[in-house]
Amino acid sequence: MNHQQPRMADGLRFRHRTRNPTQGQSRPSRLMSGLEPESIDDRMCWICLSGDEDQPRRDWVHPCRCRGTNKWVHEACLSRWIDEKQLLTPDLPVTCTQCRTEYIIVMPPLCRFDSILERLDKSYERLCPSVLMGILAATVYFSAVTFGTLTLLEVAGYETGVRLLQEDPTLLMILLPSVPTILLLSRMVRWDDCLVRWLRRHQRQGVPPDQIDGDGHPLPGAPLADDYFDDLEQDYPPAEALQPGALWSDHIGRASASFCTALSLPTFAVILGQMLFSNIYEANKVVAVFLGGITYVAVKGLASVYLRQTQYNRKRHRYVLDYTPSNLSRFFRRPRNF
């Protein structure tokens, strides 16, 4: 069995580094197998693609169960190939790419001092990720406590907020970090989506009956139905929607907009509460702030619904003109409206 062709891609990457006939002869040769082929002319290294007819060498090994000429490889070439594999996956065993045989790699023994240093280095590598995660968690926690404290002082007032912090600091250390968490989770409550679906349910535009075949499928060239645009909006949600996994996708702008909107809710609630409801609820500032927050969420949600409906209608009624001189003169010689 000859596996030379499947290994050609791995061998070509190392050929230019192993063409020097004198390379690898500065150290003693180690024939790990102790066997010689019946015909030395049949040996070919599957990494550098050279045999004994090019330049006789003494570092031939066959480290796996492969048969034929392709079972042979130069030890120097294999060593470089193993180094590259271990750089990519240092914790996985190195195996043959064809027969999946794990190579028997013998490392020189370490003295006691070197062994201790190696164990300390590996323990340090395992410990550092946990320490880093702990530092990041502590940073997030204290940032959340700071934000919750500022929100409490802003909503309840400075004197009332300081009094609450002095009365029960332990309870507040638990409740204050939950303030930004609740604000961020509230962005996932998409009540405006329900309103948009309700509006579109009463304005459905399907494919005309004369554009549908006998099986109920649209004919080629039929206009797009509303289902197409609904699916398109599900695949590409609005810019303000905070979707799971948004931080790990390409929509960094969408995620940052959702974060800023959620965390700015207490500030806008205080401003609108003082402007609109401070005269009505003079004795109870918390109620005024609560009503201000509801007003902000309602106005912003209705504005978002209106903007989405406008963009939806524009996409629904757009059309493409023929590329003619008259159309060019009408649309391309004046500023475009986007």
Side-chain angles (χ1 to χ4, degrees):
M1 183 188 304
N2 194 324
H3 303 285
Q4 182 172 348
Q5 294 299 330
R7 286 181 171 180
M8 191 72 69
D10 283 338
L12 288 176
R13 293 181 301 172
F14 298 88
R15 187 174 184 179
H16 69 282
R17 291 180 289 179
T18 58
R19 296 301 294 177
N20 189 356
T22 61
Q23 187 175 1
Q25 297 181 0
S26 59
R27 60 185 179 88
S29 174
R30 297 195 300 272
L31 296 178
M32 308 301 294
S33 63
L35 298 177
E36 291 291 338
E38 297 180 357
S39 176
I40 61 175
D41 294 335
D42 294 337
R43 291 189 297 194
M44 176 176 289
C45 177
W46 60 266
I47 294 180
C48 67
L49 304 180
S50 63
D52 285 329
E53 67 276 5
D54 299 328
Q55 179 67 36
R57 296 178 56 162
R58 297 180 53 85
D59 58 342
W60 290 101
V61 293
H62 57 90
C64 61
R65 292 193 299 265
C66 291
R67 298 180 181 180
T69 60
N70 200 39
K71 72 178 180 180
W72 296 99
V73 64
H74 296 137
E75 187 184 1
C77 299
L78 183 62
S79 179
R80 283 189 290 267
W81 186 83
I82 290 175
D83 289 337
E84 180 172 325
K85 292 297 181 182
Q86 290 182 339
L87 286 176
L88 299 176
T89 54
D91 297 331
L92 297 180
V94 183
T95 60
C96 176
T97 58
Q98 294 301 315
C99 64
R100 301 300 179 185
T101 303
E102 182 178 351
Y103 292 142
I104 304 174
I105 303 175
V106 180
M107 301 293 292
L110 295 175
C111 64
R112 183 172 299 180
F113 179 75
D114 294 342
S115 179
I116 293 175
L117 288 180
E118 186 175 6
R119 291 180 182 178
L120 289 176
D121 182 67
K122 291 183 178 180
S123 301
Y124 184 74
E125 289 182 358
R126 295 190 184 100
L127 182 62
C128 284
S130 301
V131 174
L132 178 61
M133 293 301 297
I135 293 175
L136 293 178
T139 303
V140 172
Y141 173 77
F142 286 110
S143 299
V145 170
T146 303
F147 181 85
T149 303
L150 294 177
T151 303
L152 177 63
L153 297 177
E154 185 179 27
V155 173
Y158 179 78
E159 296 180 357
T160 305
V162 171
R163 186 174 68 252
L164 291 175
L165 291 174
Q166 293 176 350
E167 289 178 356
D168 197 351
T170 305
L171 180 62
L172 292 178
M173 290 294 289
I174 299 175
L175 294 179
L176 290 178
S178 63
V179 173
T181 304
I182 294 174
L183 292 176
L184 293 175
L185 292 177
S186 65
R187 293 296 301 162
M188 296 185 179
V189 180
R190 302 297 302 170
W191 63 270
D192 52 340
D193 289 344
C194 300
L195 181 58
V196 168
R197 286 194 294 267
W198 181 82
L199 291 174
R200 294 180 184 177
R201 193 178 299 116
H202 295 78
Q203 300 177 358
R204 302 296 295 177
Q205 295 184 12
V207 180
D210 57 342
Q211 299 289 338
I212 300 178
D213 58 12
D215 297 332
H217 301 291
L219 295 173
L224 298 175
D226 287 343
D227 296 336
Y228 166 79
F229 295 96
D230 294 341
D231 296 338
L232 183 64
E233 191 167 275
Q234 291 179 2
D235 297 335
Y236 301 93
E240 296 179 352
L242 183 60
Q243 301 293 329
L247 286 178
W248 314 111
S249 64
D250 297 332
H251 307 292
I252 302 298
R254 178 185 306 166
S256 60
S258 299
F259 269 71
C260 293
T261 301
L263 298 181
S264 62
L265 175 60
T267 302
F268 285 102
V270 172
I271 294 175
L272 292 178
Q274 293 178 354
M275 292 176 57
L276 301 177
F277 306 102
S278 59
N279 296 329
I280 302 176
Y281 300 95
E282 296 180 357
N284 198 340
K285 182 181 177 182
V286 177
V287 176
V289 172
F290 179 75
L291 294 177
I294 294 179
T295 303
Y296 171 72
V297 172
V299 172
K300 190 177 182 305
L302 293 176
S304 176
V305 170
Y306 176 78
L307 178 61
R308 290 171 58 183
Q309 282 296 101
T310 301
Q311 295 174 347
Y312 173 81
N313 291 327
R314 292 189 67 189
K315 290 182 179 179
R316 190 69 182 82
H317 298 94
R318 69 184 178 187
Y319 56 93
V320 181
L321 296 178
D322 294 330
Y323 192 81
T324 61
S326 59
N327 291 332
L328 288 174
S329 61
R330 288 175 55 192
F331 293 95
F332 283 177
R333 291 186 179 179
R334 60 183 180 183
R336 302 180 189 179
N337 296 323
F338 293 99

